[in-house]
Amino acid sequence: MYALRPVTRALARASTSAPRLAAPALARGNATIAQAAAAEHAEQDLLRKSQTNQAERTLRRFWKTVGIKQDESGNHTITLDKRNLRTPGGALLTIPGEKAPLALLIANEWENQEKLIKPHALPLTSIAARAIDALSDPLLHEQVRLELLKYLNTDTVYFYEDEPHQLATLQEAHWTPLIAWVEETYGVKIEIFRSVLLNSQPGETREKLAQVIAQFDPIKLAAFERAVMYTKSFIIGLALVERKLDVEAAAQASQVEVASQILRWGEVEDSHDVDFQDPLPPPHPPPSLVLVPILSSTPTNEHERKMSGRPHKQSMSELKLRRLTEHNQRLKEDLARPRIKLSEASQSLIRYCKTTKDHLVPSVWGPVDKRDDPYAPQGGGCCAIM
């Protein structure tokens, strides 16, 4: 054996002792990183709690009473402890005198805010603020109209199907009367489509309906915009703001496909039944009570009596009672609706797929006789005229 020189022995000792010295240093480094990460997380949690507390303080109800004030020109403003309510843009939230029921309902929204302000529970305030801050500008008014007209060519109520029969029945019940109403009321032609490809309404129809919505005042256009965005239908939104449909009928017309699936396969628990519930929790008024008065050009005698002869709190109680009555009725209808378990619906769908031939998939179902093929060219004789 060869003896190691002193320098070599020193290097060997250094190489063997290095790991033993590095391990404690690495452990200390990991501990330092972990401590820093924990401190950072604690700081972030503290910041989040501070922001949450600050948001809660900001959104807390700060008023005791809600009122309606009428100025010399007959317009109405909402007051919170005699302070005027303003829009997010800083403008005074003013409701025209001929739309007094809308002012009453906006006051009801703010009266029913309990401990914290919930923006989603202020739909009418949102519509009125949208009208004042944006749609009062003629340029923005025109831009919004052009955007809404884009829904005209892709409106769901134009696209009909013959099968399944549940869908065809609902389309005939909800969509056909709407199309007939539009054609008769505005003197236009509405085309019905059987395919989603390359479809559009006549130019005359588009121009006429563009002229119709150009006459909408800012509040009516804001309500129309909200209805179109929610239903994804220009025709349903138009029928709603023109009071051809109430809110319940408009919702049913926009949910025809979902309703046909329920009729065919049954209701799926914890899915469809959730959609039927009122999205606004108590004590907010139901949609059928909320949206119809927005478009009223003249206050009804009942609302005039409420505004002049009856105290404000009594009218709020009447609104709450009507909301509870309608909500209870919807719950009764929901309990009476037939239901089906998810497993049963899945098995039914599987059976349908296994037993119903798809003529577009011959690799699975085999060749299809021309007499049974609904997509085969129809005609007789020995030749066809092109």
Side-chain angles (χ1 to χ4, degrees):
M1 272 185 81
Y2 294 98
L4 294 175
R5 295 181 179 180
V7 175
T8 306
R9 289 197 299 269
L11 290 175
R13 286 195 301 270
S15 63
T16 55
S17 60
R20 290 194 298 270
L21 295 175
L26 183 60
R28 287 194 298 271
N30 289 338
T32 304
I33 294 174
Q35 292 173 357
E40 183 178 359
H41 286 309
E43 184 178 357
Q44 291 177 353
D45 290 340
L46 183 62
L47 179 61
R48 280 194 295 268
K49 291 179 180 179
S50 176
Q51 292 173 343
T52 302
N53 294 335
Q54 182 179 0
E56 288 183 354
R57 287 195 299 270
T58 304
L59 295 177
R60 285 187 182 279
R61 174 168 176 158
F62 55 85
W63 64 93
K64 293 183 179 179
T65 60
V66 180
I68 301 177
K69 182 173 63 177
Q70 189 173 19
D71 58 21
E72 297 79 5
S73 61
N75 295 330
H76 297 87
T77 55
I78 316 302
T79 61
L80 306 179
D81 290 341
K82 299 183 179 181
R83 290 178 290 183
N84 293 328
L85 185 63
R86 294 185 176 273
T87 67
L92 191 65
L93 199 149
T94 304
I95 305 300
E98 66 271 16
K99 298 184 185 295
L102 176 58
L104 179 66
L105 291 171
I106 291 177
N108 176 64
E109 288 182 344
W110 289 90
E111 177 67 27
N112 287 317
Q113 300 293 309
E114 296 179 347
K115 294 182 179 180
L116 298 178
I117 302 175
K118 300 176 181 178
H120 69 274
L122 299 169
L124 297 183
T125 305
S126 172
I127 290 177
R130 170 71 170 164
I132 295 171
D133 285 344
L135 301 182
S136 297
D137 182 349
L139 180 60
L140 290 176
H141 194 284
E142 181 181 6
Q143 291 178 353
V144 169
R145 297 198 315 267
L146 292 176
E147 288 297 319
L148 293 176
L149 280 171
K150 294 179 180 179
Y151 285 82
L152 191 58
N153 287 333
T154 59
D155 199 310
T156 185
V157 302
Y158 307 148
F159 298 89
Y160 276 62
E161 291 290 342
D162 297 326
E163 293 293 338
H165 70 274
Q166 295 93 338
L167 177 58
T169 302
L170 290 175
Q171 289 172 342
E172 189 69 24
H174 292 283
W175 294 353
T176 301
L178 282 180
I179 294 174
W181 169 77
V182 172
E183 292 181 332
E184 180 181 355
T185 303
Y186 302 107
V188 297
K189 175 61 178 175
I190 299 295
E191 298 291 344
I192 303 301
F193 307 125
R194 301 288 176 176
S195 171
V196 297
L197 301 176
L198 303 176
N199 298 314
S200 63
Q201 294 297 330
E204 296 81 3
T205 299
R206 179 183 175 88
E207 292 177 4
K208 180 62 177 179
L209 294 180
Q211 294 172 6
V212 171
I213 64 175
Q215 303 302 317
F216 289 177
D217 61 60
I219 291 181
K220 190 171 182 177
L221 183 62
F224 176 60
E225 178 188 32
R226 189 68 59 87
V228 172
M229 294 299 180
Y230 179 80
T231 63
K232 300 297 184 291
S233 170
F234 185 97
I235 300 300
I236 295 176
L238 182 62
L240 178 62
V241 300
E242 294 294 357
R243 307 180 76 172
K244 168 64 177 176
L245 297 177
D246 60 20
V247 173
E248 299 296 336
Q252 291 173 3
S254 67
Q255 296 291 320
V256 162
E257 291 89 348
V258 175
S260 69
Q261 293 291 330
I262 294 176
L263 289 175
R264 188 175 187 184
W265 305 107
E267 184 178 285
V268 178
E269 190 174 356
D270 293 333
S271 177
H272 292 127
D273 53 348
V274 175
D275 296 335
F276 286 108
Q277 301 306 313
D278 187 358
L280 298 179
H284 308 295
S288 57
L289 181 61
V290 166
L291 287 179
V292 173
I294 295 180
L295 311 171
S296 175
S297 58
T298 311
T300 61
N301 292 333
E302 180 184 358
H303 280 100
E304 289 176 350
R305 181 165 50 84
K306 288 180 181 178
M307 294 295 296
S308 58
R310 285 192 167 190
H312 183 67
K313 288 186 177 179
Q314 189 172 1
S315 63
M316 294 299 104
S317 300
E318 291 174 354
L319 292 177
K320 292 179 181 179
L321 177 60
R322 182 170 178 178
R323 189 209 65 79
L324 288 173
T325 303
E326 294 190 4
H327 185 66
N328 287 337
Q329 182 61 32
R330 286 196 299 273
L331 289 177
K332 291 179 181 179
E333 295 173 356
D334 181 63
L335 289 174
R337 187 176 294 111
R339 300 172 184 272
I340 185 173
K341 294 181 179 179
L342 179 59
S343 58
E344 295 177 0
S346 301
Q347 292 175 356
S348 178
L349 181 60
I350 292 171
R351 284 195 301 269
Y352 176 82
C353 294
K354 287 183 176 181
T355 57
T356 304
K357 290 187 177 181
D358 189 346
H359 302 291
L360 296 179
V361 191
S363 59
V364 177
W365 297 101
V368 181
D369 189 275
K370 290 185 177 181
R371 293 172 298 180
D372 299 330
D373 188 358
Y375 303 102
Q378 301 295 324
C382 60
C383 56
I385 299 176
M386 303 299 290

